[in-house]
Every structure is written in structure tokens, then in C-alpha cells.
Amino acid sequence: MSLHSPFTIFVQMKQAKIAIVIPVYNREKELVRTFASIVAQTYRPLHIVLVDNGSTDGSLALCRELKARYGSDDFEVTVTEEAKRGPSAARNKGLSCVKEEFVSFFDSDDTYVPEAMSLYMQAFENNPSADIVGCTVEMIPEKGRPYVAKAVFSHRVEPHIFHSTLGTQRYVARTALVRAVGGWHEEYMRWEDWELGLRLLLSTDRIVWIDRPPLVDIYLHADSITGYRYVPNAPDILQAIAHAHDDVDRSNHSQKRRLHRLLLYKQMVVAGLCCKEKSPRGKEIYSLTMQQAGKDKMLRWFLPLVYRYTALGGRGSAIWADWLLH
């Protein structure tokens, strides 16, 4: 489902409170901008959960200062700490503090547009059976022009495998659903949102999409949680894909074989991207993926083409994967 509606201001509406969970690690400068975008939200009430993840700068003190300055009856601020390193551990700690029906997870260096929460909650009000409301996001690179990230407005699992349609900042979900699927895996620090999104989509198809405007600005830089290089993150990515195979096996999805094949395709894309970054890791992942493909003739023909095409800078092979890998 897609939602087409104008901006609506809900300052006075007596609606359900929504929680926004934000892990914070050494974000003393960036958090000011992020928090300001939340204060600017036209929707109330809100509950902001700031989880300091062992910061060594002034982030924790800033979190407490923001709570003291902005906390109120309709803008609750909770500050807590998580000693275990990693955004997923911090998000799970934040999730344990959530008592609201709806929850959003956000990064401490990105920003919402002022109408984001109003539009999310309007979508839930208009679609009472929805479990998730998703949106588009705008990417802000360090160099070059901002661009709207690719989004596929679908409840299917396949587009998420290709494009991470339920990335961290792209949705609000019912808190009970996030808890029911097990929350965040804490073993790795990249693609953990992609893997959680897969579990969510394997559990529900009741999704509403706000296809315009983009509700979030994501700032890309080398030290961001989002990140944009593959070689340093390859071990985490492989672990996330391995978990995704387990998620598919445990699900009731009617086309498990197809999803397993698409996950191997995704892994081969990562191999090609590592090769493009001039790393021997690419060939290692290539060999692993071909081994996992076994005797599947289609995979053994198609995956090497994907590897070479991606390594040369080719894009858009997901169209072929979606068509060929049944």
C-alpha cells in the first residue's frame, strides 16, 4: 500500500505516544543537530530514548543536558547507558525502555523533516491494521549532491534483500512486532538493520508506505553507522547474510529456495564490490559463495557473471536476479 497525503499538523491531537530510540557513541557534535530535528517535530507526544554506548567524549553529559532542557509531559526524554559495544546492543537496551505502542530507531547523526512523526502517525491512524509504516530517505554525501535513496514500495521480501527497503531510519513499527521477532542481533555492527528488516517482512505483510516526501536526511561519512565501504565490513556482512538464511529456514515463507538463492546473489554482489575496492577479500567471498551454490546450475552460471559485472562497476543486476532466480 502507498500513502498519498499532504502535510498535516497534529500538535494538538491526543494520539498514541511514539518512541524514538537513538544509540549514541561519541556524537557530541552531531547529536545536537539530530535532537533539534526531533524537537522540531510537529507531532506530540513523543518519547526519546538516548542510549550512550560508552562514549569517551561529552556525549553522555550532552544527553543529560538535553533531557533537562527539553523533557516535558508530552516530550519525555530517557537517558540510559549500554556497556556492550555496538549500535544493536544499544538499540536493544533502548527497546527495553519503550512502553509505547510504536517505535522508531534512529541514528545520532541524521535528521528528520519536521512533519515526519505526524505523517507516520497519520498513516497508522488511517490504516489501523498496519504493523509498519515505511518512508523514503534522502542521502547527504560528504561530496556531491544529495539524492533520494532507491525505495521499492512493497511488502515482499525480495526487494528488501536487494535494496534494504527497511533500513534503520526508514520506518516506524509496532513495538510488539519488533519484540516478537527478537529485536536486534548484537553480534555484528553492519547490515544488522537489513537482517532485522528481513525478519520483520517474513513476519508481516501489513505495511503502509509514505512514498513522498523523504522523511529523513541520512548523512554519509566514513565514521557514520551507515557507512559506505564494503571491505572493512565484510565479516559483519557475511554474518548478517548467514543469519538471513537461518531466518528464511525458520519462516513460513512459501518460496524458501528462491530466497536462499537471492541471498547468495546478494553475497556475490558483496564479493564483486570488495573486488572493485581492490581487495583479495572479493575472491575469498566469491569462492565461498560458489561453494555454497553447490550443484545449482543456474547459480553456477549466473553468479560468476554477477561477480565480474559488479567488480567492473556495473549496477542494476538485481533486475536479472529477480527474473532468473525462481
mmCIF file with all atom_site columns, all heavy atoms in Angstrom, residues 114-127:
data_model
loop_
_atom_site.group_PDB
_atom_site.id
_atom_site.type_symbol
_atom_site.label_atom_id
_atom_site.label_alt_id
_atom_site.label_comp_id
_atom_site.label_asym_id
_atom_site.label_entity_id
_atom_site.label_seq_id
_atom_site.pdbx_PDB_ins_code
_atom_site.Cartn_x
_atom_site.Cartn_y
_atom_site.Cartn_z
_atom_site.occupancy
_atom_site.B_iso_or_equiv
_atom_site.pdbx_formal_charge
_atom_site.auth_seq_id
_atom_site.auth_comp_id
_atom_site.auth_asym_id
_atom_site.auth_atom_id
_atom_site.pdbx_PDB_model_num
ATOM 1   N N   . PRO A 1 114 ? 10.482 18.031 9.733  1.00 0.00 ? 114 PRO A N   1
ATOM 2   C CA  . PRO A 1 114 ? 9.581  18.356 10.858 1.00 0.00 ? 114 PRO A CA  1
ATOM 3   C C   . PRO A 1 114 ? 8.267  17.580 10.865 1.00 0.00 ? 114 PRO A C   1
ATOM 4   O O   . PRO A 1 114 ? 7.714  17.302 11.929 1.00 0.00 ? 114 PRO A O   1
ATOM 5   C CB  . PRO A 1 114 ? 9.332  19.857 10.685 1.00 0.00 ? 114 PRO A CB  1
ATOM 6   C CG  . PRO A 1 114 ? 10.532 20.353 9.966  1.00 0.00 ? 114 PRO A CG  1
ATOM 7   C CD  . PRO A 1 114 ? 10.924 19.247 9.027  1.00 0.00 ? 114 PRO A CD  1
ATOM 8   N N   . GLU A 1 115 ? 7.760  17.193 9.710  1.00 0.00 ? 115 GLU A N   1
ATOM 9   C CA  . GLU A 1 115 ? 6.457  16.532 9.630  1.00 0.00 ? 115 GLU A CA  1
ATOM 10  C C   . GLU A 1 115 ? 6.541  15.012 9.717  1.00 0.00 ? 115 GLU A C   1
ATOM 11  O O   . GLU A 1 115 ? 5.525  14.329 9.590  1.00 0.00 ? 115 GLU A O   1
ATOM 12  C CB  . GLU A 1 115 ? 5.765  16.914 8.311  1.00 0.00 ? 115 GLU A CB  1
ATOM 13  C CG  . GLU A 1 115 ? 5.529  18.400 8.135  1.00 0.00 ? 115 GLU A CG  1
ATOM 14  C CD  . GLU A 1 115 ? 6.735  19.137 7.579  1.00 0.00 ? 115 GLU A CD  1
ATOM 15  O OE1 . GLU A 1 115 ? 7.736  18.467 7.254  1.00 0.00 ? 115 GLU A OE1 1
ATOM 16  O OE2 . GLU A 1 115 ? 6.686  20.368 7.471  1.00 0.00 ? 115 GLU A OE2 1
ATOM 17  N N   . ALA A 1 116 ? 7.739  14.449 9.934  1.00 0.00 ? 116 ALA A N   1
ATOM 18  C CA  . ALA A 1 116 ? 7.925  13.002 9.850  1.00 0.00 ? 116 ALA A CA  1
ATOM 19  C C   . ALA A 1 116 ? 6.993  12.233 10.781 1.00 0.00 ? 116 ALA A C   1
ATOM 20  O O   . ALA A 1 116 ? 6.247  11.343 10.351 1.00 0.00 ? 116 ALA A O   1
ATOM 21  C CB  . ALA A 1 116 ? 9.379  12.652 10.142 1.00 0.00 ? 116 ALA A CB  1
ATOM 22  N N   . MET A 1 117 ? 7.012  12.543 12.073 1.00 0.00 ? 117 MET A N   1
ATOM 23  C CA  . MET A 1 117 ? 6.205  11.779 13.020 1.00 0.00 ? 117 MET A CA  1
ATOM 24  C C   . MET A 1 117 ? 4.706  11.984 12.782 1.00 0.00 ? 117 MET A C   1
ATOM 25  O O   . MET A 1 117 ? 3.910  11.057 12.939 1.00 0.00 ? 117 MET A O   1
ATOM 26  C CB  . MET A 1 117 ? 6.564  12.159 14.457 1.00 0.00 ? 117 MET A CB  1
ATOM 27  C CG  . MET A 1 117 ? 7.971  11.761 14.858 1.00 0.00 ? 117 MET A CG  1
ATOM 28  S SD  . MET A 1 117 ? 8.232  9.970  14.747 1.00 0.00 ? 117 MET A SD  1
ATOM 29  C CE  . MET A 1 117 ? 9.739  9.931  13.777 1.00 0.00 ? 117 MET A CE  1
ATOM 30  N N   . SER A 1 118 ? 4.315  13.183 12.369 1.00 0.00 ? 118 SER A N   1
ATOM 31  C CA  . SER A 1 118 ? 2.909  13.433 12.060 1.00 0.00 ? 118 SER A CA  1
ATOM 32  C C   . SER A 1 118 ? 2.437  12.544 10.915 1.00 0.00 ? 118 SER A C   1
ATOM 33  O O   . SER A 1 118 ? 1.353  11.949 10.962 1.00 0.00 ? 118 SER A O   1
ATOM 34  C CB  . SER A 1 118 ? 2.696  14.901 11.697 1.00 0.00 ? 118 SER A CB  1
ATOM 35  O OG  . SER A 1 118 ? 2.892  15.742 12.805 1.00 0.00 ? 118 SER A OG  1
ATOM 36  N N   . LEU A 1 119 ? 3.258  12.433 9.877  1.00 0.00 ? 119 LEU A N   1
ATOM 37  C CA  . LEU A 1 119 ? 2.877  11.619 8.730  1.00 0.00 ? 119 LEU A CA  1
ATOM 38  C C   . LEU A 1 119 ? 2.878  10.134 9.073  1.00 0.00 ? 119 LEU A C   1
ATOM 39  O O   . LEU A 1 119 ? 2.007  9.375  8.629  1.00 0.00 ? 119 LEU A O   1
ATOM 40  C CB  . LEU A 1 119 ? 3.806  11.908 7.559  1.00 0.00 ? 119 LEU A CB  1
ATOM 41  C CG  . LEU A 1 119 ? 3.640  13.295 6.931  1.00 0.00 ? 119 LEU A CG  1
ATOM 42  C CD1 . LEU A 1 119 ? 4.721  13.553 5.891  1.00 0.00 ? 119 LEU A CD1 1
ATOM 43  C CD2 . LEU A 1 119 ? 2.261  13.436 6.304  1.00 0.00 ? 119 LEU A CD2 1
ATOM 44  N N   . TYR A 1 120 ? 3.856  9.699  9.861  1.00 0.00 ? 120 TYR A N   1
ATOM 45  C CA  . TYR A 1 120 ? 3.862  8.306  10.312 1.00 0.00 ? 120 TYR A CA  1
ATOM 46  C C   . TYR A 1 120 ? 2.575  7.977  11.065 1.00 0.00 ? 120 TYR A C   1
ATOM 47  O O   . TYR A 1 120 ? 1.891  6.980  10.787 1.00 0.00 ? 120 TYR A O   1
ATOM 48  C CB  . TYR A 1 120 ? 5.044  8.054  11.248 1.00 0.00 ? 120 TYR A CB  1
ATOM 49  C CG  . TYR A 1 120 ? 6.359  7.744  10.574 1.00 0.00 ? 120 TYR A CG  1
ATOM 50  C CD1 . TYR A 1 120 ? 7.544  8.365  10.987 1.00 0.00 ? 120 TYR A CD1 1
ATOM 51  C CD2 . TYR A 1 120 ? 6.447  6.795  9.565  1.00 0.00 ? 120 TYR A CD2 1
ATOM 52  C CE1 . TYR A 1 120 ? 8.763  8.066  10.402 1.00 0.00 ? 120 TYR A CE1 1
ATOM 53  C CE2 . TYR A 1 120 ? 7.656  6.491  8.970  1.00 0.00 ? 120 TYR A CE2 1
ATOM 54  C CZ  . TYR A 1 120 ? 8.815  7.124  9.391  1.00 0.00 ? 120 TYR A CZ  1
ATOM 55  O OH  . TYR A 1 120 ? 10.021 6.832  8.819  1.00 0.00 ? 120 TYR A OH  1
ATOM 56  N N   . MET A 1 121 ? 2.241  8.814  12.026 1.00 0.00 ? 121 MET A N   1
ATOM 57  C CA  . MET A 1 121 ? 1.096  8.505  12.876 1.00 0.00 ? 121 MET A CA  1
ATOM 58  C C   . MET A 1 121 ? -0.227 8.688  12.141 1.00 0.00 ? 121 MET A C   1
ATOM 59  O O   . MET A 1 121 ? -1.209 7.996  12.430 1.00 0.00 ? 121 MET A O   1
ATOM 60  C CB  . MET A 1 121 ? 1.147  9.353  14.146 1.00 0.00 ? 121 MET A CB  1
ATOM 61  C CG  . MET A 1 121 ? 2.378  9.072  15.006 1.00 0.00 ? 121 MET A CG  1
ATOM 62  S SD  . MET A 1 121 ? 2.634  7.306  15.351 1.00 0.00 ? 121 MET A SD  1
ATOM 63  C CE  . MET A 1 121 ? 1.246  6.973  16.427 1.00 0.00 ? 121 MET A CE  1
ATOM 64  N N   . GLN A 1 122 ? -0.266 9.588  11.186 1.00 0.00 ? 122 GLN A N   1
ATOM 65  C CA  . GLN A 1 122 ? -1.453 9.700  10.348 1.00 0.00 ? 122 GLN A CA  1
ATOM 66  C C   . GLN A 1 122 ? -1.656 8.403  9.571  1.00 0.00 ? 122 GLN A C   1
ATOM 67  O O   . GLN A 1 122 ? -2.787 7.923  9.412  1.00 0.00 ? 122 GLN A O   1
ATOM 68  C CB  . GLN A 1 122 ? -1.321 10.865 9.376  1.00 0.00 ? 122 GLN A CB  1
ATOM 69  C CG  . GLN A 1 122 ? -2.542 11.028 8.474  1.00 0.00 ? 122 GLN A CG  1
ATOM 70  C CD  . GLN A 1 122 ? -2.327 12.043 7.377  1.00 0.00 ? 122 GLN A CD  1
ATOM 71  O OE1 . GLN A 1 122 ? -1.239 12.600 7.250  1.00 0.00 ? 122 GLN A OE1 1
ATOM 72  N NE2 . GLN A 1 122 ? -3.351 12.292 6.584  1.00 0.00 ? 122 GLN A NE2 1
ATOM 73  N N   . ALA A 1 123 ? -0.560 7.827  9.071  1.00 0.00 ? 123 ALA A N   1
ATOM 74  C CA  . ALA A 1 123 ? -0.662 6.578  8.314  1.00 0.00 ? 123 ALA A CA  1
ATOM 75  C C   . ALA A 1 123 ? -1.196 5.444  9.190  1.00 0.00 ? 123 ALA A C   1
ATOM 76  O O   . ALA A 1 123 ? -2.032 4.642  8.744  1.00 0.00 ? 123 ALA A O   1
ATOM 77  C CB  . ALA A 1 123 ? 0.706  6.205  7.745  1.00 0.00 ? 123 ALA A CB  1
ATOM 78  N N   . PHE A 1 124 ? -0.720 5.355  10.435 1.00 0.00 ? 124 PHE A N   1
ATOM 79  C CA  . PHE A 1 124 ? -1.241 4.320  11.333 1.00 0.00 ? 124 PHE A CA  1
ATOM 80  C C   . PHE A 1 124 ? -2.719 4.570  11.653 1.00 0.00 ? 124 PHE A C   1
ATOM 81  O O   . PHE A 1 124 ? -3.506 3.629  11.738 1.00 0.00 ? 124 PHE A O   1
ATOM 82  C CB  . PHE A 1 124 ? -0.430 4.271  12.627 1.00 0.00 ? 124 PHE A CB  1
ATOM 83  C CG  . PHE A 1 124 ? 0.841  3.484  12.526 1.00 0.00 ? 124 PHE A CG  1
ATOM 84  C CD1 . PHE A 1 124 ? 2.083  4.101  12.655 1.00 0.00 ? 124 PHE A CD1 1
ATOM 85  C CD2 . PHE A 1 124 ? 0.807  2.111  12.314 1.00 0.00 ? 124 PHE A CD2 1
ATOM 86  C CE1 . PHE A 1 124 ? 3.259  3.364  12.571 1.00 0.00 ? 124 PHE A CE1 1
ATOM 87  C CE2 . PHE A 1 124 ? 1.980  1.359  12.222 1.00 0.00 ? 124 PHE A CE2 1
ATOM 88  C CZ  . PHE A 1 124 ? 3.209  1.991  12.349 1.00 0.00 ? 124 PHE A CZ  1
ATOM 89  N N   . GLU A 1 125 ? -3.087 5.823  11.823 1.00 0.00 ? 125 GLU A N   1
ATOM 90  C CA  . GLU A 1 125 ? -4.480 6.140  12.116 1.00 0.00 ? 125 GLU A CA  1
ATOM 91  C C   . GLU A 1 125 ? -5.383 5.768  10.943 1.00 0.00 ? 125 GLU A C   1
ATOM 92  O O   . GLU A 1 125 ? -6.481 5.226  11.125 1.00 0.00 ? 125 GLU A O   1
ATOM 93  C CB  . GLU A 1 125 ? -4.631 7.620  12.436 1.00 0.00 ? 125 GLU A CB  1
ATOM 94  C CG  . GLU A 1 125 ? -6.067 8.009  12.815 1.00 0.00 ? 125 GLU A CG  1
ATOM 95  C CD  . GLU A 1 125 ? -6.212 9.495  13.101 1.00 0.00 ? 125 GLU A CD  1
ATOM 96  O OE1 . GLU A 1 125 ? -5.348 10.259 12.630 1.00 0.00 ? 125 GLU A OE1 1
ATOM 97  O OE2 . GLU A 1 125 ? -7.171 9.872  13.787 1.00 0.00 ? 125 GLU A OE2 1
ATOM 98  N N   . ASN A 1 126 ? -4.911 6.018  9.723  1.00 0.00 ? 126 ASN A N   1
ATOM 99  C CA  . ASN A 1 126 ? -5.698 5.720  8.537  1.00 0.00 ? 126 ASN A CA  1
ATOM 100 C C   . ASN A 1 126 ? -5.694 4.241  8.178  1.00 0.00 ? 126 ASN A C   1
ATOM 101 O O   . ASN A 1 126 ? -6.555 3.777  7.418  1.00 0.00 ? 126 ASN A O   1
ATOM 102 C CB  . ASN A 1 126 ? -5.178 6.523  7.338  1.00 0.00 ? 126 ASN A CB  1
ATOM 103 C CG  . ASN A 1 126 ? -5.408 8.003  7.489  1.00 0.00 ? 126 ASN A CG  1
ATOM 104 O OD1 . ASN A 1 126 ? -6.220 8.440  8.308  1.00 0.00 ? 126 ASN A OD1 1
ATOM 105 N ND2 . ASN A 1 126 ? -4.683 8.801  6.708  1.00 0.00 ? 126 ASN A ND2 1
ATOM 106 N N   . ASN A 1 127 ? -4.720 3.497  8.714  1.00 0.00 ? 127 ASN A N   1
ATOM 107 C CA  . ASN A 1 127 ? -4.587 2.066  8.413  1.00 0.00 ? 127 ASN A CA  1
ATOM 108 C C   . ASN A 1 127 ? -4.399 1.314  9.734  1.00 0.00 ? 127 ASN A C   1
ATOM 109 O O   . ASN A 1 127 ? -3.275 0.903  10.068 1.00 0.00 ? 127 ASN A O   1
ATOM 110 C CB  . ASN A 1 127 ? -3.395 1.825  7.489  1.00 0.00 ? 127 ASN A CB  1
ATOM 111 C CG  . ASN A 1 127 ? -3.510 2.584  6.179  1.00 0.00 ? 127 ASN A CG  1
ATOM 112 O OD1 . ASN A 1 127 ? -4.063 2.113  5.208  1.00 0.00 ? 127 ASN A OD1 1
ATOM 113 N ND2 . ASN A 1 127 ? -2.942 3.795  6.153  1.00 0.00 ? 127 ASN A ND2 1
#
